[in-house]
Amino acid sequence: MNEVSRAAALLRAGELVAFPTETVYGLGADASNPQAIAKIFAAKGRPADHPLIVHLPDASHLERWAVDIPEAARKLAAAFWPGPLTLILKRHPSVLDAVTGGQDTVGLRVPNHPLALQLLREFGGANSGANGGGLAAPSANRFGHVSPTTAAHVREELGGTVAMILDGGPCAVGIESTILDLSGGEPRILRPGMLDAEAIGAVLGCLPAFGGEQNAPRVSGSLDAHYAPSTPLQLVAAADLAATAAQALADGRRVAVLAPEAPVHIHQKMVWSAASADAAQFAHELYARLRELDALGCDLILVAAPPAAEAWRAVADRLRRAAAGSK
Ligand code: TXA
Ligand code: MG
């Protein structure tokens, strides 16, 4: 039996399998099996009211999971699936509460990674009924930690709690999918990703709005403390970086710096990691860099704040939360 067939068999048996996607690695379970879903929450240490994204082999599966599907969803699926876009739609009545966090909506996406698609087809093929063939998969990290972009990261995060880790190499995109709410009202981006508002707007015919409702933290990735390394991380305007680093060094602290250019001349207690000036490349490397810098055991990670341009929105969002989460 090949790796993918073995993974599909484990998933059918209610086990957890981590698999690669183009964004980050997912921790997969049969979305129609409540015991399997419970294992996800236990493995991640994640609060049970946080909904999960259901991964599908292709858009023809939408009707099994959602109702009142708007034309916009079909257009976006045709344009961007497989790809880093999650659509929030009205849930089909048979979708498990454990998957939706008890909400009347469900998050759906078709990931763009050959191994993920192979797995979804093999797993989905044997489950043709309503709510069959979907894999619920959050990012394969412990709750609040940095998301994994390699199989080795998944092993560090979840080790023995998963039955199998499918290794598909480093994730191409590197940060989580864009989440777009199409469940009613105007289209709204709940979590920015590398598929940006402009690309979505070009298909919709109008730019989506941003942000979830206040007082309703429906997207766990929208909590302030998230994606965090254990070393305190501080976002600093590029112009202030040298002074901030110098001050920390003067205080006797060991400092790791992630910035496009070295902030001060070489210092024994400073490590500089060269950051890409290209948003897509920066996103691709971001989580692996944060893990590397975290592993140095410094007292502080300083990150140069990215440009205020739209192309950097998703990266800036993750960095802001990493800074909030590491306090
Ligand atoms: O790129 C991704 O989306 C990755 C890969 C594995 O597909 N998955 C991912 O899952 O980032 P997770 O669980 O770490 O983040 C999914 C986010 C959560 O913050 C969750 O609250 C939100 O999606 N979500 C899921 N269903 C939702 C719903 N019905 N309404 C609002 N937010 C929802
Ligand atoms: Mg996550």
Side-chain angles (χ1 to χ4, degrees), residues 27 37-53 97-103 138-139 141-145 217-226:
L27 176 60
I37 298 302
K39 288 183 187 171
I40 288 182
F41 289 96
K44 278 187 66 98
R46 177 169 171 151
D49 60 344
H50 285 191
L52 303 170
I53 294 172
D97 278 335
V99 169
T100 65
Q103 301 181 69
S139 51
N141 51 281
R142 306 252 332 143
F143 183 67
H145 285 196
R218 302 199 302 165
V219 184
S220 72
S222 76
L223 293 181
D224 272 349
H226 224 77

Side-chain angles (χ1 to χ4, degrees), residues 180-319:
L180 181 71
D181 188 355
L182 290 177
S183 66
E186 59 176 342
R188 189 171 282 274
I189 291 179
L190 302 181
R191 179 177 71 185
M194 294 312 283
L195 182 70
D196 63 17
E198 202 180 316
I200 290 169
V203 173
L204 286 177
C206 65
L207 273 182
F210 277 96
E213 293 139 43
Q214 290 296 311
N215 309 320
R218 302 199 302 165
V219 184
S220 72
S222 76
L223 293 181
D224 272 349
H226 224 77
Y227 313 113
S230 49
T231 312
L233 183 151
Q234 207 180 316
L235 260 181
V236 183
D240 300 335
L241 199 63
T244 309
Q247 184 58 55
L249 291 166
D251 294 343
R253 299 205 276 170
R254 298 190 57 219
V255 184
V257 175
L258 180 62
E261 284 158 46
V264 284
H265 37 265
I266 309 299
H267 188 291
Q268 217 188 332
K269 289 194 166 175
M270 190 190 74
V271 179
W272 169 53
S273 176
S276 176
D278 174 71
Q281 183 61 23
F282 189 102
H284 171 67
E285 300 171 352
L286 174 61
Y287 291 148
R289 289 294 183 89
L290 290 183
R291 278 174 194 277
E292 282 164 23
L293 296 178
D294 208 13
L296 296 174
C298 287
D299 301 302
L300 181 63
I301 298 172
L302 294 178
V303 182
E310 192 56 36
W312 289 86
R313 183 192 282 265
V315 160
D317 169 81
R318 301 308 190 278
L319 286 173

Side-chain angles (χ1 to χ4, degrees), residues 40-185:
I40 288 182
F41 289 96
K44 278 187 66 98
R46 177 169 171 151
D49 60 344
H50 285 191
L52 303 170
I53 294 172
V54 179
H55 296 66
L56 308 175
D58 61 66
S60 73
H61 283 232
L62 272 174
E63 276 79 11
R64 299 185 188 182
W65 300 90
V67 294
D68 298 341
I69 301 167
E71 194 47 37
R74 297 190 194 280
K75 281 194 194 159
L76 289 166
F80 299 121
W81 282 356
L85 174 67
T86 296
L87 297 177
I88 306 295
L89 299 171
K90 292 208 176 95
R91 74 190 267 188
H92 189 285
S94 56
V95 182
L96 295 176
D97 278 335
V99 169
T100 65
Q103 301 181 69
D104 56 4
T105 57
V106 62
L108 301 169
R109 97 173 182 102
V110 178
N112 188 18
H113 190 290
L115 268 188
L117 288 170
Q118 240 179 297
L119 178 65
L120 283 161
R121 283 187 201 120
E122 184 140 352
F123 176 75
N127 293 272
S128 51
N131 283 202
L135 291 180
S139 51
N141 51 281
R142 306 252 332 143
F143 183 67
H145 285 196
V146 176
S147 299
T149 52
T150 68
H153 296 165
V154 178
R155 221 164 286 122
E156 278 167 32
E157 287 285 325
L158 301 170
T161 59
V162 286
M164 185 175 171
I165 301 171
L166 275 177
D167 189 344
C171 301
V173 175
I175 63 173
E176 301 81 356
S177 61
T178 305
I179 299 182
L180 181 71
D181 188 355
L182 290 177
S183 66

